[in-house]
Amino acid sequence: PSTEFEKTRRLLGNDIQETMFYFQAQLEDLKKKLGEGSPLATQVEQILDEGIDRIRVSQHDLRILSDLDGLNLWREKEAVELSELIQKRLHKLQNPPDCSKARKLICNLNKGCGYGCQIHHAVYCFIVAYGAKRTLILRSKNWRYDKNGWEDVFQPLSETCTDTAASSFSHWPGAENTQAVELPIVDTLSHRPPILPPAIPKDISERLIRFHGNPTVWWVGQFLKYMLRFQPKTQAMIDSMKESMGFKTPVVGIHIRRTDKVGTEAAFHSVEEYMERAEEYYKLVSLSNPNVVRRVYIASDDPKVITEARNKFPNYTIYGDPNVSKTAAVSTRYTDASLRGIIADIYFLSLSDYLVCTFSSQVCRLAYEILQTFHPDGADRFRSLDDIYYYGGQNPHNQRARFPHTAKRSNEMSLKVGDFVGVAGNHWDGFSKGFNRRSKQTGLYPSYKAEETVEVANIASYADFDK
Ligand code: GDP
């Protein structure tokens, strides 16, 4: 298919979803105003249910369309080939012929934050290393989750070069011929390289934009694929968990982030809100597979939610272990047991067919990134209850207006075709919030009137690695 065909097909999926969000939000609001239980409210409820059934059929038909004429096979092939290309490059970058002469980028794993945040820190280092064509050296001694370091659970990032020794040393950015450069955390980074997310490298951009709905998250996923290769004993733990759960797909992954996050960095969401989104997914799947078994995998730092879900949703098979959640409590978070728990939870979430979670959590974003490595295009396989996807410390994320818009309410802003909008969030009710770079206004706009742009970075050539 042409890139335009694929882009338009993906836009259509987005348009349908935004239409659904709009009607859901508007009619729910109307229902409330009419008074719960009143005859008119009951009629609105019925319009909502029947209307959504009709919209769902369009989603179903679009799914069929996206698989016609061998399109899924083509997508699969492209995804595999491009992944192989990147994995080969990363392997070469990490295994220089002579470590004593290799140009290195040094990074400390032990950022003062949770596992998801630390892994994202390491990936940021790896992406910067890729852009600078330097071998990443990850320091992980006295890791807060495991004092024995990274290699206790994951394979080393290199078979030949894990040593920080160098003839010359400097802080980022250093000079071309500085042998080892140390990278600070992204929060204090100056001399920000163009390869920082959401950018993708120019030389793979055309192929990637053609087959994937969110090139940034695919690209990030490739670094995780390389980094998070389990040690045999980690793999054995995962295998035994899988067996004792009787883990099967299709499954919806649900991550419920509570404890220290609620009220400080994110709002509380009930178990019902997550399960409703899982049910929406299963209703769509039911159109092609009427006998689909409803399964969810629940990960949380609050052990109560798994029991609660089992009591309230007996028609669901619910995977998840309250004992794993117990190791995630703030007081017990940074132990060997909690490390194994969070590795397993993120892995099982990433194996799901669809993720329901809050993108305000690094755990949820990490699972979404890894999920991309298991599907040719997993861009649409999520529902976030709060933020849109982002990479912590990323460069501006822009959308471009496709249609003009005249503000209709005081909190809206107008758009001209071609306007660039720094997108702050999607309210999942048909509207997004952003900053119009032309008019300098901040406000809401109908999400369907703008489309994602992709930032492309021109970095060191890897042509010599591809031979
Ligand atoms: P964020 O705070 O949610 O953005 O993500 P971080 O990963 O930076 O920190 C949260 C930490 O809480 C994780 O790294 C885990 O240690 C723990 N945690 C949060 N949610 C879960 C979960 O679902 N399962 C497990 N096992 N641990 C969790």
Side-chain angles (χ1 to χ4, degrees):
S2 67
T3 301
E4 283 316 302
F5 177 89
E6 282 296 273
K7 276 189 176 172
T8 309
R9 182 185 58 74
R10 291 192 299 252
L11 275 175
L12 188 56
N14 204 48
D15 301 340
I16 295 172
Q17 191 170 44
E18 288 297 335
T19 303
M20 184 128 121
F21 289 161
Y22 176 78
F23 280 116
Q24 263 171 342
Q26 294 291 322
L27 294 178
E28 285 295 343
D29 183 50
L30 185 59
K31 226 171 72 183
K32 254 191 225 123
K33 285 179 179 152
L34 291 169
E36 214 75 48
S38 72
L40 277 178
T42 308
Q43 193 180 346
V44 170
E45 171 89 47
Q46 198 178 341
I47 295 173
L48 186 58
D49 285 348
E50 295 183 356
I52 287 180
D53 279 342
R54 282 161 173 76
I55 295 176
R56 192 176 298 121
V57 171
S58 310
Q59 291 182 313
H60 167 74
D61 286 338
L62 186 60
R63 283 171 67 138
I64 294 176
L65 184 77
S66 68
D67 187 25
L68 289 181
D69 298 339
L71 283 181
N72 271 353
L73 288 176
W74 161 76
R75 236 171 261 125
E76 177 100 41
K77 188 165 168 284
E78 270 297 279
V80 167
E81 280 178 14
L82 204 57
S83 173
E84 277 170 5
L85 179 84
I86 299 303
Q87 294 305 309
K88 191 173 139 196
R89 287 180 183 179
L90 294 179
H91 187 264
K92 276 204 173 178
L93 186 66
Q94 287 306 106
N95 292 281
D98 182 357
C99 188
S100 71
K101 295 205 183 72
R103 295 167 70 246
K104 302 173 180 181
L105 188 88
I106 299 171
C107 176
N108 280 316
L109 176 62
N110 219 4
K111 187 173 176 176
C113 54
Y115 173 84
C117 164
Q118 291 184 330
I119 298 297
H120 278 134
H121 169 59
V123 168
Y124 138 77
C125 292
F126 208 175
I127 289 175
V128 172
Y130 181 96
K133 228 174 173 181
R134 286 177 175 274
T135 302
L136 174 67
I137 312 286
L138 190 65
R139 276 204 202 110
S140 71
K141 275 267 165 311
N142 296 317
W143 185 14
R144 72 192 303 183
Y145 278 92
D146 184 336
K147 62 178 181 341
N148 297 321
W150 181 260
E151 280 131 46
D152 212 17
V153 281
F154 296 115
Q155 291 182 36
L157 296 190
S158 171
E159 291 135 42
T160 61
C161 192
T162 53
D163 181 1
T164 54
S167 59
S168 55
F169 181 93
S170 136
H171 287 283
W172 174 262
E176 189 60 28
N177 62 0
T178 310
Q179 197 189 348
V181 169
E182 180 150 359
L183 192 68
I185 59 173
V186 73
D187 317 57
T188 59
L189 181 72
S190 47
H191 304 280
R192 293 167 63 92
I195 190 64
L196 286 182
I200 55 167
K202 184 160 193 310
D203 69 338
I204 60 162
S205 61
E206 273 181 36
R207 284 180 77 181
L208 185 48
I209 289 168
R210 193 162 156 228
F211 80 83
H212 204 281
N214 188 336
T216 304
V217 72
W218 183 89
W219 171 240
V220 170
Q222 288 304 306
F223 287 84
L224 290 162
K225 180 174 179 172
Y226 186 90
M227 274 182 48
L228 304 182
R229 287 165 302 151
F230 295 146
Q231 289 286 16
K233 63 177 180 179
T234 313
Q235 186 66 54
M237 168 194 80
I238 295 284
D239 291 345
S240 98
M241 287 176 80
K242 221 180 205 170
E243 201 183 309
S244 64
M245 271 189 274
F247 187 82
K248 284 199 193 78
T249 58
V251 62
V252 172
I254 295 183
H255 177 237
I256 305 185
R257 183 73 167 89
R258 293 272 175 85
T259 67
D260 58 318
K261 194 94 171 176
V262 173
T264 54
E265 291 174 18
F268 177 91
H269 295 280
S270 66
V271 169
E272 283 82 354
E273 286 176 76
Y274 293 90
M275 290 300 288
E276 223 171 83
R277 282 14 180 253
E279 181 60 24
E280 276 175 28
Y281 176 77
Y282 279 114
K283 279 188 179 152
L284 175 58
V285 172
S286 298
L287 293 175
S288 49
N289 178 8
N291 299 320
V292 63
V293 177
R294 283 159 158 75
R295 303 183 190 93
V296 293
Y297 179 94
I298 302 184
S300 181
D301 53 339
D302 177 355
K304 287 195 301 290
V305 299
I306 296 172
T307 318
E308 183 185 340
R310 286 194 176 125
N311 290 336
K312 288 183 176 161
F313 299 89
N315 60 327
Y316 270 77
T317 298
I318 296 177
Y319 303 128
D321 185 348
N323 288 318
V324 170
S325 307
K326 274 185 203 151
T327 68
V330 185
S331 56
T332 51
R333 188 164 288 169
Y334 306 114
T335 62
D336 286 11
S338 74
L339 176 61
R340 279 142 187 90
I342 188 66
I343 289 173
D345 271 345
I346 289 178
Y347 177 72
F348 286 113
L349 289 173
S350 75
L351 279 190
S352 63
D353 296 85
Y354 193 72
L355 252 182
V356 181
C357 55
T358 46
F359 274 160
S360 58
S361 169
Q362 309 243 19
V363 172
C364 158
R365 299 202 301 279
L366 191 51
Y368 177 59
E369 289 152 0
I370 302 169
L371 181 147
Q372 304 308 319
T373 67
F374 299 118
H375 303 273
D377 178 4
D380 288 340
R381 294 178 178 272
F382 79 95
R383 257 319 282 285
S384 167
L385 302 189
D386 56 17
D387 297 348
I388 49 174
Y389 173 78
Y390 66 97
Y391 198 92
Q394 72 184 11
N395 283 328
H397 170 185
N398 289 312
Q399 292 190 348
R400 190 185 145 278
R402 300 175 63 202
F403 304 108
H405 180 66
T406 307
K408 295 189 176 61
R409 303 168 185 82
S410 63
N411 53 2
E412 281 179 36
M413 65 177 179
S414 295
L415 298 173
K416 279 189 187 170
V417 174
D419 280 353
F420 282 93
V421 177
V423 53
N426 187 325
H427 291 192
W428 315 115
D429 61 359
F431 291 89
S432 288
K433 190 172 183 176
F435 172 71
N436 187 324
R437 298 192 189 280
R438 175 187 55 83
S439 68
K440 310 282 180 234
Q441 271 187 309
T442 295
L444 297 177
Y445 58 96
S447 310
Y448 77 90
K449 290 194 175 183
E451 65 184 326
E452 293 291 331
T453 61
V454 181
E455 298 299 327
V456 165
N458 223 338
I459 49 160
S461 166
Y462 275 82
D464 55 330
F465 277 39
D466 295 342
K467 281 190 221 116

